[in-house]
Amino acid sequence: MKSKQLLTFLFLSLFSLSVVAAKKSITFNVMVSDKAKKEVIKKIKKQQGVYSAKAVDKMGAVQVEYDDAKTDINTLTEAFKKAGVYACPVGESCANKPGGCLNNKPTTTNTMR
């Protein structure tokens, strides 16, 4: 009986550990034409840990859903850079950083809390 309870506990523990990695969503400002945006989105979707990427509006925003255990904001920003465009997470305030946005890697998005 105790071994059955122990096995159940271990199974539930392993299951809960697999759920810890969260599916996150972030929006990037990407200023390119619609045709180029489609190519960039295809390249971003191939990035490890990315579930989906889609154009949000005609102003250049791209929303990316990703697994935070496999990738992060800096890796996604580098993937955009490799795809040939500059992308910055929406809401990140880099005006106060020395050198401004273009000379600094993104850290986390500013949630305005």
Side-chain angles (χ1 to χ4, degrees), residues 3 7-8 28 50 57 69 91 94 101 105:
S3 62
L7 286 174
T8 304
F28 287 89
V50 173
D57 58 19
C94 52
C101 293
K105 289 185 177 180

Side-chain angles (χ1 to χ4, degrees), residues 15-71:
F15 178 76
S16 66
L17 286 176
S18 66
V19 178
V20 171
K23 186 176 187 180
K24 291 191 175 184
S25 179
I26 187 166
T27 304
F28 287 89
N29 281 329
V30 182
M31 303 311 267
V32 294
S33 67
D34 286 339
K35 183 178 179 182
K37 192 186 310 178
K38 288 177 185 177
E39 292 299 317
V40 169
I41 289 172
K42 282 182 188 177
K43 291 178 182 178
I44 296 301
K45 285 181 179 179
K46 293 179 182 177
Q47 181 73 25
Q48 181 181 4
V50 173
Y51 295 119
S52 68
K54 63 182 178 180
V56 178
D57 58 19
K58 294 191 181 230
M59 297 303 293
V62 174
Q63 184 177 17
V64 179
E65 289 186 357
Y66 66 98
D67 184 347
D68 69 340
K70 295 180 181 178
T71 191

Side-chain angles (χ1 to χ4, degrees), residues 26 28 47 66 71-82 87 89 92 97 104-108:
I26 187 166
F28 287 89
Q47 181 73 25
Y66 66 98
T71 191
D72 60 3
I73 295 172
N74 291 333
T75 307
L76 293 172
T77 303
E78 287 299 317
F80 276 106
K81 192 174 184 180
K82 287 178 184 175
E92 181 185 16
K97 292 180 182 178
N104 295 289
K105 289 185 177 180
T107 52
T108 58

